Amino acid sequence: MSHDPNCIFCRIAAGEIPAQKVHEDDELIAFKDIRPAAPVHLLIIPREHIATLADAEPRHQALLGRMALLAPQLAREHGADNGLRTVINTGPDGGQEVYHLHMHVMGGPRPWKQG
Ligand code: 5GP
Ligand code: ZN
């Protein structure tokens, strides 16, 4: 499985950088966003280093499906039971800052910060 030693999310996945992890399994990790834009703001990442959604391949189909299914489950577990927002920023024009595929999971009572 590809691991980029210079990638902050690979380092979080490897336990080299601390994060408030809320889920771990053989393929996925989820942790709290360090700058939450909503009362609940989690990031779901694959353990494998995939830089962006545009770099995902057909073999990642089930992995992407698992990310989508995990989002409402984690939102509920964190008390966001009135809806949620999922976002995957992709590339420069998508506003992506960290180049390791991640799904934002945001929820909780509004108003939220701009994000
Ligand atoms: P992007 O703009 O790439 O979609 O979002 C990257 C997200 O990662 C941002 O919301 C940012 O707050 C979060 N983030 C960046 N570095 C870290 C970190 O070291 N730890 C955690 N927990 N979140 C981070
Ligand atoms: Zn990475």
Side-chain angles (χ1 to χ4, degrees), residues 1-5 10 46-51 59-60 100:
M1 190 177 300
S2 65
H3 171 95
D4 179 345
C10 281
R47 286 187 186 275
E48 179 179 351
H49 181 83
I50 304 166
R59 68 185 172 90
H60 296 122
H100 179 128

Side-chain angles (χ1 to χ4, degrees), residues 10-33:
C10 281
R11 299 192 69 195
I12 285 175
E16 294 168 9
I17 290 178
Q20 289 186 273
K21 290 184 184 166
V22 297
H23 176 90
E24 270 191 276
D25 63 47
D26 55 334
E27 289 186 313
L28 301 177
I29 293 174
F31 52 90
K32 294 188 181 178
D33 195 294

Side-chain angles (χ1 to χ4, degrees), residues 39-40 42 71-84 106-109:
V40 175
L42 309 173
Q73 179 193 316
L74 291 181
R76 269 194 309 275
E77 285 174 12
H78 289 265
D81 52 7
N82 194 38
L84 67 148
M106 289 167 277

Side-chain angles (χ1 to χ4, degrees), residues 56-98:
E57 298 171 9
R59 68 185 172 90
H60 296 122
Q61 184 170 333
L63 181 75
L64 293 168
R66 291 196 58 220
M67 290 172 73
L69 288 171
L70 185 59
Q73 179 193 316
L74 291 181
R76 269 194 309 275
E77 285 174 12
H78 289 265
D81 52 7
N82 194 38
L84 67 148
R85 182 170 180 217
T86 49
V87 173
I88 301 177
N89 296 321
T90 303
D93 286 354
Q96 186 172 1
E97 290 174 9
V98 177

